[in-house]
């Protein structure tokens, strides 16, 4: 018959167990810190990549905005002559220092992909109805600068200047054959993703590598199924990636859901990511995934558009930066 442990033996064993658990906990904490600390990461030597939203466009105030707000009716007093999503605005953005230009595409009635942001024409143009209810020829006749005003409608500084300036996807690709582009599919219709895939599938692999696609869940999923080598992003893909990464990222592992993606990370959320900023950016880059930091909570395409915004970037940050005023922030990057 076994002899019961003495009162002195039981506390001693308990202390050893507690000490062992403490050592394991401390080891895990130390590993997690060292594995995810940017302070201990090597200097990447890089600089932020600048992503110009809609080229060099007219900006507007965000106060009181909703999804139905006509932003052309609330622009700031113009500081340059460019209208969003035009070839001239894209040229100006690249000339100012953009590394990537973002633009929007929609399907027309005659099955063409035209570059325009709004589903409805009334806000910016002298047209009426939905973009997809019109042919390309009809859209070409519109004045895309018609609705812009900075003073509540007293004046319209771009009225008459935007006739015929709505380009097609093919024209953008031809105008910038060697530049990085981000294509935003502006609908939830998988057919638009399929049509975009039809166009991109004709491009050589090296050109395709410089194009990223994001937008609605269904069209992006349809395109990704056709062209899995293209870097993509949708809300569903972003959520899936980040939830999986938060579960395992402390180990340094990057889930497959984060491979070959472009991640638009809201500034407010970024500090909660394992390894933010340097280790996170490096880990994603190793899996062909690009990180783009969006200002604030990420709503309404807020960007890093001023010196005050730029000052909030993490020191030494080498990921991408979303901006609506590349002309203002590119000199700040050069000076940094």
């Amino acid at each position: 018959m076994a002899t019961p442990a003495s009162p002195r033996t039981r506390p001693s064993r308990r202390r050893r167990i507690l000490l062992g658990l403490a050592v394991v906990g401390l080891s895990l904490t130390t590993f997690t810190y060292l594995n995810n600390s940017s302070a201990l990461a090597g200097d990447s030597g890089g600089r932020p990549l600048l992503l110009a939203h809609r080229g060099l466009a007219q900006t507007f105030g965000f106060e009181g905005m909703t999804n139905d707000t006509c932003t052309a009716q609330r622009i700031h007093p113009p500081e340059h002559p460019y209208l969003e999503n035009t070839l001239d605005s894209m040229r100006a953005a690249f000339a100012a220092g953009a590394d990537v230009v973002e633009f929007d595409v929609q399907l027309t009635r005659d099955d063409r992909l035209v570059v325009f942001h709004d589903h409805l024409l009334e806000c910016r143009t002298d047209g009426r109805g939905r973009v997809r209810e019109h042919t390309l020829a009809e859209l070409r006749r519109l004045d895309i600068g018609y609705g812009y005003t900075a003073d509540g409608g007293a004046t319209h500084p771009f009225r008459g200047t935007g006739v015929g300036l709505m380009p097609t996807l093919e024209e953008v690709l031809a105008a910038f054959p060697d530049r990085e582009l981000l294509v935003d599919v502006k609908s939830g219709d998988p057919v638009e993703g399929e049509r975009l895939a039809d166009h991109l599938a004709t491009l050589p692999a090296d050109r395709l590598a410089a194009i990223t696609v994001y937008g609605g869940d269904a069209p992006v999923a349809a395109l990704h199924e056709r062209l899995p080598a293209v870097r993509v992003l949708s809300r569903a893909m972003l959520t899936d990636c980040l939830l999986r990464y938060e579960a395992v990222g402390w180990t340094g592992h990057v889930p497959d859901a984060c491979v070959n993606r472009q991640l638009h990370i809201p500034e407010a959320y970024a500090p909660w990511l394992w390894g933010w900023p340097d280790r996170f950016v490096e880990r994603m880059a190793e899996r062909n995934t690009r990180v783009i930091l969006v200002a604030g909570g990420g709503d309404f395409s807020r960007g890093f558009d001023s010196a005050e915004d730029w000052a909030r970037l993490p020191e030494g940050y080498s990921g991408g930066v979303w901006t609506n005023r590349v002309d203002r922030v590119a000199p700040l990057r050069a000076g940094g």
Side-chain angles (χ1 to χ4, degrees):
M1 183 173 180
T3 304
S6 69
R8 297 182 60 183
T9 303
R10 285 196 294 270
S12 176
R13 182 178 301 163
R14 189 177 301 116
R15 281 196 297 269
R16 288 199 300 271
I17 293 172
L18 292 175
L19 179 60
L21 291 174
V23 170
V24 170
L26 179 60
S27 299
L28 282 174
T29 300
T30 302
F31 168 79
T32 301
Y33 172 75
L34 294 176
N35 197 43
N36 292 283
S37 173
S38 288
L40 299 178
D43 184 0
S44 68
R47 61 178 189 167
L49 173 146
L50 297 180
L51 192 158
H53 180 219
R54 305 186 205 169
L56 186 55
Q58 301 301 316
T59 57
F60 47 83
F62 293 101
E63 300 77 15
M65 272 191 62
T66 70
N67 289 330
D68 297 323
T69 298
C70 175
T71 57
Q73 295 177 359
R74 59 190 296 165
I75 62 169
H76 297 130
E79 297 179 17
H80 61 73
Y82 303 109
L83 296 172
E84 65 178 51
N85 278 319
T86 61
L87 294 178
D88 284 345
S89 76
M90 297 178 200
R91 291 189 186 99
F94 281 126
D99 300 292
V100 185
V101 162
E102 186 263 8
F103 62 93
D104 309 297
V105 296
Q106 299 193 56
L107 203 61
T108 67
R109 194 176 75 197
D110 50 348
D111 215 32
R112 301 292 299 277
L113 283 168
V114 71
V115 180
F116 192 70
H117 177 270
D118 302 349
H119 295 296
L120 297 174
L121 295 167
E122 284 84 348
C123 172
R124 302 179 194 280
T125 82
D126 52 347
R128 295 291 181 270
R130 298 175 64 83
V131 171
R132 67 188 310 164
E133 296 170 346
H134 295 74
T135 66
L136 176 60
E138 291 168 345
L139 294 169
R140 295 280 208 194
R141 292 195 288 269
L142 299 179
D143 177 5
I144 63 173
Y146 186 86
Y148 286 83
T149 180
D151 51 18
T155 61
H156 294 84
F158 298 104
R159 186 166 288 185
T161 68
V163 178
L165 296 188
M166 194 185 299
T168 62
L169 171 69
E170 296 96 324
E171 288 170 335
V172 174
L173 294 175
F176 307 103
D178 57 352
R179 302 306 300 258
E180 293 249 10
L181 300 169
L182 171 61
V183 186
D184 184 1
V185 184
K186 295 305 295 182
S187 84
D189 186 350
V191 172
E192 296 203 13
E194 292 165 5
R195 293 294 178 271
L196 179 56
D198 290 340
H199 287 281
L200 297 185
T202 66
L203 302 177
D206 59 340
R207 182 70 189 102
L208 209 53
I211 294 175
T212 302
V213 176
Y214 82 125
D217 294 339
V220 172
L223 180 138
H224 181 59
E225 185 174 352
R226 285 270 310 279
L227 300 173
V230 174
R231 189 187 294 119
V232 292
L233 173 68
S234 69
R235 182 179 294 273
M237 290 176 177
L238 178 64
T239 301
D240 189 28
C241 163
L242 294 185
L243 287 177
R244 292 174 185 273
Y245 181 76
E246 286 297 84
V248 301
W250 63 275
T251 68
H253 175 68
V254 176
D256 289 343
C258 299
V259 175
N260 209 26
R261 298 284 187 262
Q262 177 155 300
L263 304 180
H264 294 175
I265 305 296
E267 177 186 13
Y269 179 75
W272 300 99
L273 295 169
W274 294 111
W276 179 261
D278 297 344
R279 297 247 168 132
F280 180 78
V281 172
E282 291 169 1
R283 286 169 184 167
M284 295 301 160
E286 289 171 358
R287 306 303 299 273
N288 194 38
T289 288
R290 175 178 286 163
V291 176
I292 303 293
L293 190 62
V294 183
D299 55 325
F300 299 116
S301 300
R302 294 178 187 264
F304 290 82
D305 301 336
S306 66
E308 293 76 15
D309 295 333
W310 193 260
R312 299 199 307 272
L313 291 176
E315 185 176 357
Y317 176 69
S318 60
V321 174
W322 184 278
T323 182
N324 300 294
R325 288 300 302 263
V326 67
D327 56 326
R328 287 180 178 174
V329 300
L332 299 175
R333 177 178 68 174

